[in-house]
Amino acid sequence: MQANIKIVPLGTKHALLFSAIALALGANAVMAQSETQTDVDSGLLAMADDAADGSENSSRRTRRMEEIEVEGQASVRPSSPKYTQALLDTPQSIAVVPNEVIKGQNLLSLRDILSTLPGITFGAGEGGGGYGDSINLRGFTANNDITIDGVRDSAQYSRTDPFNLEQLEVVNGANSVYSGSSSVGGTINLVSKRAQDEDFTRIAGGVGSDSYGRLTVDSNQQLNESTALRLNVMAHQNDAPGRDVETFERWGFAPSVTFGLDSDTQVSLSYVHQEDDNIPQYGVPFINGAPLPGVDPSHYFGYRNIDTQEIDTDVFTTIIDHAFSDTFSVRNLTRQGETDQFSIVNAAAGAFCLANGVNPATGASCTTPGTFVPSGNRGTTRDTTNSVFANQTDFLVDFTTGGIEHNAVIGFSIARESFDLATGNSQRADNGAVFIYAPQNLYNPDSFYTGPRRYVQASTQEGELDSRALYVFDTLNFNSRWSLNGGFRFERSEGEHRTDTYATAVGVSVPIGTITPGPLLSNNDDLLSYRAGLVYKPVENASIYLAAGNSKTPSKASVNGACTQFTCNVDPETAISYELGAKWDLLDERLSLTASLFRNDRENYKVADLNNPDNPSDQQQLDGEARVDGLILGVSGQIKEHWLVYANYAHLKSEVLQGVSDFDAGLGSDYARGDRLTSTPENSLSLWSTYDVTPKWQFGYGATYQGKIWLSQHTSTNPDGPLFTYGDYWTHRAMAAYRVTRDLRLQLNVTNLFDEAYYTRIRTSASGWATPGDARSFVLSAEWTL
């Protein structure tokens, strides 16, 4: 049996694909008739216009847009209609990364984009749902807090390409009131491109080092006064810079059509299809905070002819806007999506013996110097399917009571998510026995697999998560200086999970493949979340705010994750954020300065309670507590006529306040108390700046700094000993662009300009691993605007 053979029935997924192809063919016919237009100069001024168009296109509220003149980054509004004000008047720290900043730095994945923002780190990519993005947002995991156009994208996979991305928004702090359950450290929202009321076609291609090749087309055509069609197409390949084996190949297309432009009723239909075929990137052995001495960071410790990551994504979205009047409108978003991921991985795990005859994990002597025996995650096979259906309806109303102006949103949402996972091993012996791996050269590993290839299934998992929510948001404008922004959300969360296990051992009474059904575990919770912020405007172009909000996290927080017999009946966890901030738009709103002080308190997370005689069921307790105090500074926009900047800095002070149950704490076994949170840098910053030297030449420079992170905490086996850390490091980027004609632009990007050696996505264990950061790479691209 070949584990990588998949049979998919013809159904909704393929019907959506055929519909999208029909739209794409129509778009091509329109593009053939398009006329050449003057390109918009790249930079943050164009960036602001593009971002504003993208975020407003899905909800054209003329009554509020009249209040905003988009001339710079400062005036961009968050894309969600739940945010009733522009960024300047929104009492929350929100970083917006527009498409032009992404293109200017040639950022190619969600991890690439987030790596340029401070306070964000990445895990090793392993999880219950499989290999993929694993994100730590300012101290807390954000794996369940990624949304696309405000709808949760809960599948654990690698979000590899921004070809259909208008902008990215990172919201700081507990945020359940806007994004639903969880959202402890914040929310990451990806805003999709939509058909607009303008004509353009941008064709871009690039070549570069490490077998880099890329072609994209972004064409928007207004068919008549009320209808526009847009098509985004992408094909891409590259090797991992500085690595011997890992490759990334993908293609995708995203048609969208909008009816009723500039009318009271607007309907937008969009579809996204993307397919990836990658060799997953696990990196090299990494133990006690460092790579093994003498191990080349370019070497591959898996098997190039086995390891694979195949991703298929299909998402269909409908957005309907209707304005009943200048003060009352309604918006409905409906989404059906599916993400399939199939992976076989051989992580860089094993028993290591250094050239000096020392085991790096234990410090003890070993008998085979310079070798390692592969073990652990070898041949691990996962086949996952995540599906989502979501519907959100928002009623937007402006009114006045007692001289107080209100900008209100009243809405409700329903969502159903499902998850299916089959796990097993594809590198078993012919009789199904565990394959015994021979020792390999630690300093020259053999990355070609010649052993047996029998697939033995280990388990299947099924999960469902249903949520229904009602919410109200309102901004009370008392006068030109004072306003109060607040919202409440009531959500009903109902989740189920079941795991069936398969016998995998040879030579026992139960044959291989015998199924042991698992219990159906469920979790049902009512969640109430809130946020409130008081805003004071000393002058029209500045604001000072004080805000607080919470998040609620049920035991079944994600459709991918299983609540267990020890957690399903535990009440929801709670986190609370407090924030004091200021925003200031300068130079006729072309430059924005932001600053905020915040505290994120995770007040009661689940911890084990195994020693308590009064808890015979060993149910976990809500006694854990952790805190992150932070400072965030930001500047974005135009400093001078030809000088643009986008920069952020974060200072995070993290601490475990209690890491065990109250009973264990009473026994004096809270060894992690006072430790820092893992993967949380105390200092980090990012910078991207461009300067137009002449009308034809533009130069850009970027830098990212990540401070030291803690990789471990004190435990019962290490109550007082040293903790392992990693960092700090800098990376630099450079860009040079030349406008050949008004329609043709060339751009050269150099990533990791000084070829800094660093590691990311660190797994901490006695047999851990980490991914070397991309080595220096070069990309030359051209963009032609028709």
Side-chain angles (χ1 to χ4, degrees):
M1 174 177 174
Q2 293 293 325
N4 58 350
I5 295 177
K6 299 172 66 179
I7 299 175
V8 181
L10 183 64
T12 304
K13 172 181 173 180
H14 293 81
L16 292 175
L17 177 58
F18 295 147
S19 300
I21 291 174
L23 283 172
L25 291 175
N28 287 333
V30 171
M31 284 191 291
Q33 303 174 16
S34 65
E35 297 180 356
T36 301
Q37 298 184 16
T38 302
D39 188 14
V40 178
D41 197 348
S42 65
L44 290 181
L45 287 181
M47 168 201 80
D49 291 332
D50 288 347
D53 287 342
S55 56
E56 288 299 331
N57 186 60
S58 61
S59 180
R60 291 190 178 267
R61 293 177 283 171
T62 305
R63 58 192 173 84
R64 293 180 185 167
M65 282 296 292
E66 291 174 351
E67 302 172 7
I68 303 174
E69 296 181 4
V70 180
E71 296 182 358
Q73 173 72 6
S75 298
V76 176
R77 181 195 298 273
S79 61
S80 172
K82 301 183 187 74
Y83 291 96
T84 60
Q85 305 297 312
L87 281 177
L88 176 66
D89 301 322
T90 298
Q92 195 164 11
S93 175
I94 303 176
V96 178
V97 185
N99 180 263
E100 287 299 327
V101 169
I102 296 169
K103 289 198 306 180
Q105 299 179 81
N106 197 41
L107 305 174
L108 295 175
S109 69
L110 177 62
R111 282 201 299 264
D112 286 348
I113 299 169
L114 293 177
S115 68
T116 66
L117 294 175
I120 298 177
T121 56
F122 305 96
E126 266 315 323
Y131 177 82
D133 295 329
S134 181
I135 300 167
N136 183 287
L137 176 59
R138 294 165 187 157
F140 304 107
T141 179
N143 288 358
N144 301 333
D145 305 323
I146 301 172
T147 60
I148 300 177
D149 304 319
V151 176
R152 189 187 304 278
D153 187 41
S154 57
Q156 183 165 347
Y157 65 105
S158 301
R159 297 161 182 84
T160 55
D161 207 285
F163 82 101
N164 195 47
L165 186 63
E166 192 71 66
Q167 67 184 39
L168 179 139
E169 303 165 348
V170 179
V171 180
N172 178 60
N175 206 45
S176 285
V177 69
Y178 290 112
S179 304
S181 61
S182 194
S183 302
V184 174
T187 304
I188 299 164
N189 185 42
L190 288 72
V191 183
S192 304
K193 295 178 180 178
R194 306 286 181 209
Q196 307 172 10
D197 54 351
E198 60 176 311
D199 291 342
F200 62 80
T201 296
R202 301 186 184 106
I203 302 172
V207 294
S209 58
D210 304 290
S211 302
Y212 182 100
R214 183 174 179 83
L215 177 65
T216 61
V217 177
D218 184 359
S219 180
N220 191 99
Q221 303 297 321
Q222 189 164 348
L223 306 183
N224 53 48
E225 290 184 357
S226 62
T227 306
L229 186 66
R230 187 169 187 175
L231 176 65
N232 280 274
V233 179
M234 172 274 300
H236 177 92
Q237 70 171 28
N238 73 283
D239 300 339
R243 300 282 293 157
D244 289 342
V245 172
E246 294 97 322
T247 61
F248 310 97
E249 298 180 4
R250 56 187 176 268
W251 67 275
F253 65 97
S256 65
V257 60
T258 300
F259 304 98
L261 292 168
D262 299 320
S263 69
D264 290 340
T265 303
Q266 180 175 291
V267 179
S268 175
L269 307 176
S270 63
Y271 172 75
V272 179
H273 175 79
Q274 184 175 323
E275 295 186 16
D276 288 59
D277 187 1
N278 308 321
I279 295 180
Q281 194 171 14
Y282 271 87
V284 299
F286 198 92
I287 298 176
N288 297 339
L292 299 187
V295 171
D296 193 319
S298 68
H299 285 167
Y300 191 72
F301 282 79
Y303 298 115
R304 68 178 71 206
N305 59 324
I306 294 286
D307 297 352
T308 187
Q309 181 195 29
E310 302 165 16
I311 309 170
D312 290 351
T313 299
D314 294 276
V315 179
F316 186 82
T317 306
T318 300
I319 299 176
I320 302 173
D321 290 277
H322 178 71
F324 294 94
S325 67
D326 290 342
T327 59
F328 180 48
S329 63
V330 61
R331 175 185 187 266
N332 177 270
L333 181 151
T334 302
R335 171 164 295 164
Q336 176 72 53
E338 180 176 294
T339 299
D340 300 318
Q341 178 170 253
F342 176 78
S343 64
I344 303 176
V345 300
N346 284 270
F352 304 102
C353 187
L354 300 179
N356 61 1
V358 173
N359 182 327
T362 63
S365 61
C366 46
T367 58
T368 54
T371 67
F372 82 102
V373 178
S375 64
N377 298 54
R378 310 300 288 189
T380 301
T381 304
R382 290 185 173 94
D383 193 350
T384 67
T385 298
N386 277 80
S387 299
V388 60
F389 171 80
N391 183 279
Q392 298 180 4
T393 301
D394 300 292
F395 296 93
L396 301 92
V397 57
D398 292 347
F399 60 96
T400 302
T401 58
I404 300 174
E405 296 180 358
H406 297 258
N407 303 134
V409 177
I410 303 170
F412 62 89
S413 67
I414 60 173
R416 161 158 286 195
E417 302 172 73
S418 65
F419 169 70
D420 294 282
L421 166 64
T423 63
N425 193 290
S426 293
Q427 295 165 203
R428 288 295 192 98
D430 292 340
N431 66 350
V434 175
F435 182 63
I436 305 301
Y437 294 91
Q440 289 196 34
N441 187 333
L442 177 60
Y443 306 105
N444 187 24
D446 184 1
S447 63
F448 195 85
Y449 181 76
T450 58
R453 294 190 62 180
R454 177 177 175 179
Y455 173 71
V456 174
Q457 187 159 349
S459 69
T460 59
Q461 296 182 37
E462 296 179 354
E464 288 187 355
L465 188 62
D466 294 334
S467 62
R468 302 180 297 276
L470 297 171
Y471 47 83
V472 177
F473 301 93
D474 191 11
T475 297
L476 290 73
N477 299 287
F478 300 106
N479 51 49
S480 61
R481 294 188 181 275
W482 290 95
S483 64
L484 178 65
N485 179 295
F488 293 90
R489 179 188 185 98
F490 176 79
E491 182 172 354
R492 174 68 174 175
S493 176
E494 300 177 354
E496 294 183 346
H497 195 98
R498 173 175 172 169
T499 300
D500 296 338
T501 57
Y502 290 65
T504 61
V506 176
V508 298
S509 59
V510 180
I512 286 180
T514 301
I515 302 175
T516 300
L520 181 64
L521 301 172
S522 62
N523 171 260
N524 303 316
D525 282 309
D526 294 327
L527 312 171
L528 180 63
S529 51
Y530 63 86
R531 185 169 182 87
L534 182 65
V535 179
Y536 172 67
K537 302 187 69 172
V539 292
E540 183 179 359
N541 61 328
S543 64
I544 302 170
Y545 64 88
L546 178 64
N550 76 334
S551 72
K552 289 289 187 177
T553 305
S555 290
K556 177 69 175 172
S558 167
V559 69
N560 303 328
C563 64
T564 70
Q565 60 178 323
F566 307 115
T567 64
C568 273
N569 295 321
V570 179
D571 290 337
E573 299 176 355
T574 300
I576 296 181
S577 292
Y578 308 93
E579 185 173 352
L580 172 65
K583 303 179 182 182
W584 190 12
D585 291 352
L586 302 173
L587 306 178
D588 295 327
E589 299 186 353
R590 295 194 304 269
L591 182 69
S592 175
L593 305 179
T594 60
S596 69
L597 291 167
F598 67 89
R599 166 169 287 180
N600 287 350
D601 262 339
R602 194 179 177 193
E603 290 193 330
N604 59 343
Y605 64 85
K606 292 186 290 293
V607 291
D609 189 37
L610 304 179
N611 302 313
N612 189 350
D614 296 327
N615 183 19
S617 64
D618 292 335
Q619 181 170 280
Q620 293 190 2
Q621 302 297 304
L622 291 174
D623 296 335
E625 186 175 358
R627 173 177 294 167
V628 176
D629 291 328
L631 165 69
I632 297 177
L633 303 175
V635 55
S636 60
Q638 186 181 33
I639 296 177
K640 290 185 176 181
E641 183 178 358
H642 302 294
W643 184 13
L644 306 163
V645 64
Y646 183 87
N648 293 277
Y649 166 78
H651 175 79
L652 307 175
K653 182 180 179 181
S654 64
E655 183 180 6
V656 176
L657 300 180
Q658 181 168 320
V660 298
S661 68
D662 289 344
F663 182 85
D664 288 340
L667 298 177
S669 59
D670 191 0
Y671 304 108
R673 182 182 179 91
D675 287 351
R676 298 173 187 263
L677 301 184
T678 58
S679 299
T680 306
E682 184 170 346
N683 293 288
S684 54
L685 65 85
S686 65
L687 165 70
W688 176 250
S689 182
T690 63
Y691 190 82
D692 298 329
V693 179
T694 71
K696 288 184 174 291
W697 282 100
Q698 182 185 73
F699 292 93
Y701 166 76
T704 299
Y705 170 77
Q706 180 179 288
K708 181 170 62 176
I709 60 174
W710 271 253
L711 302 175
S712 61
Q713 296 173 342
H714 290 106
T715 64
S716 58
T717 58
N718 180 34
D720 301 310
L723 300 178
F724 299 113
T725 63
Y726 178 72
D728 54 359
Y729 63 84
W730 285 87
T731 61
H732 303 264
R733 301 173 299 281
M735 181 270 286
Y738 178 71
R739 186 167 296 283
V740 181
T741 69
R742 68 176 185 177
D743 300 323
L744 178 62
R745 185 175 188 267
L746 302 179
Q747 180 173 304
L748 175 67
N749 285 90
V750 184
T751 302
N752 197 355
L753 181 63
F754 302 115
D755 206 20
E756 174 77 8
Y758 67 99
Y759 291 83
T760 183
R761 304 172 67 204
I762 300 171
R763 179 186 177 96
T764 56
S765 70
S767 184
W769 59 80
T771 303
D774 285 349
R776 181 168 50 221
S777 61
F778 302 84
V779 171
L780 177 63
S781 57
E783 183 176 86
W784 185 28
T785 301
L786 301 179

